Amino acid sequence: MADLHALLQSAKCVLFDFDGPICRLFHGHPPAQVADRMRLRLAELGEPDLRTEVAGHQDPYRVLGHVAHAPGRDAAAIALEQLLTREELAAVQTAEPTDDVAELIRRLVESGRQIAVTTNNSERSVRAYLHRKGLARWFGPHIHGRTADAKHLKPDPHCLHRALASTRAAPEETVMIGDTAADLQAARTAGVSFVGFAASPHATAFGTGRADLVVHGMAELLNGATPPPTPPLPPDR
Ligand SMILES: [Mg+2]
C-alpha cells in the first residue's frame, strides 16, 4: 500500500468517479426500479430476447452494457441510454452528497491541482448535480461521462483517456478515486494510481490489496490536498 499523504501530495491531477465518491446518486431513486423500466422499454421496442437475457440484472448499467454489446442492437442501446439519462436526471433531485467531498474538491483546486470527473453516468446528470451543489465551477469542462456509444462504459478506460487529454495530465501524475472493481480496472489500464473509496454503498468489489490505497471517508484525503512543499531557499553566500 502506498502512503496516502505522499500519493496525493505528488498528484497533479485527481479523477473522481461520480456515484459514490461525489454523491449517492440513487439515494432516493432505486436503481433496481430503473432496471425494471429498462426491461419494460426493451419489451416495447420488440426485443423480448434481450429482455430475457437481462432479466436478473438489478444494476441498470449492467443492463445497458449488455444491450450495447449485443450485435445489431444499436437502436435498442440508444433508446436505453436515453432512458437511463432521464432516470439519472430524476435521481439528481434526491442525490445525497458524500461527506467532506466538497471540501476536498475545493482544496485540490486551490492547491493548484487539476480535477475531472470520470464516470459511467451521463455528463448531463453530473453537470446538473454539480450545479445544484455549487461545485460545477471547480470542474469546468472536465466532466467525462458516458457517451452515446455505451460500449465504452468502465472498465473500458475511455472516459479516463478523455480526462487525461482534456487536463493534459500525465498518467503517472494522476490519481483516480473510485468505488468499484470497474473503476480500478479502468485506472490500471490507463496507468493512473487508484484510491478505493470503501465507504460507498457500491464498494464491495475491489480487493483492498489491489488498490494503491483504500479510504473510508474523504476526510482521510484532506491532509494530502495541501500545496506541495516548497523546496528551501539556498543559503546566502
Ligand atoms: Mg461509482
Side-chain angles (χ1 to χ4, degrees):
M1 284 264 165
D3 172 75
L4 182 148
H5 192 74
L7 183 73
L8 211 61
Q9 276 289 87
S10 63
K12 292 186 177 168
C13 179
V14 178
L15 309 179
F16 286 85
D17 174 46
F18 179 63
D19 186 11
I22 292 182
C23 68
R24 295 190 298 282
L25 176 59
F26 292 100
H27 174 72
H29 194 84
Q33 292 178 15
V34 176
D36 285 341
R37 288 191 282 275
M38 293 168 82
R39 279 185 281 275
L40 271 179
R41 187 81 184 102
L42 286 173
E44 291 166 5
L45 291 166
E47 296 281 8
D49 294 348
L50 276 179
R51 184 185 183 182
T52 303
E53 287 166 23
V54 298
H57 295 352
Q58 302 290 300
D59 177 351
Y61 300 86
R62 279 192 72 192
V63 175
L64 179 60
H66 182 94
V67 174
H69 283 95
R73 304 305 226 286
D74 292 356
I78 289 167
L80 287 199
E81 197 282 325
Q82 292 171 346
L83 171 60
L84 186 52
T85 297
R86 291 194 295 276
E87 295 280 355
E88 289 171 343
L89 287 167
V92 160
Q93 302 306 315
T94 50
E96 278 287 306
T98 299
D99 289 346
D100 301 313
V101 76
E103 176 66 12
L104 176 63
I105 287 165
R106 184 185 68 79
R107 284 201 204 179
L108 288 169
V109 176
E110 290 188 344
S111 65
R113 293 176 175 85
Q114 297 264 24
I115 60 169
V117 176
T118 46
T119 176
N120 282 349
N121 305 125
S122 63
E123 180 185 327
R124 277 181 68 194
S125 62
V126 174
R127 207 169 279 288
Y129 175 84
L130 294 176
H131 271 294
R132 191 172 151 242
K133 297 296 181 185
L135 297 172
R137 67 195 167 104
W138 300 115
F139 288 93
H142 306 295
I143 297 171
H144 302 282
R146 182 176 72 239
T147 62
D149 184 352
K151 282 196 283 297
H152 295 306
L153 295 178
K154 290 175 284 184
D156 187 318
H158 193 252
C159 62
L160 281 76
H161 286 155
R162 285 183 285 134
L164 292 172
S166 81
T167 57
R168 302 186 181 187
E172 59 273 18
E173 295 174 337
T174 301
V175 174
M176 174 160 178
I177 303 171
D179 65 344
T180 62
D183 291 330
L184 173 63
Q185 192 179 333
R188 287 285 171 263
T189 307
V192 311
S193 301
F194 184 79
V195 174
F197 178 54
S200 163
H202 313 294
T204 53
F206 54 77
T208 52
R210 295 193 304 147
D212 295 294
L213 280 168
V214 173
V215 296
H216 296 84
M218 292 299 167
E220 293 175 51
L221 295 169
L222 288 176
N223 286 338
T226 53
T230 314
L233 291 170
D236 288 338
R237 296 197 174 222

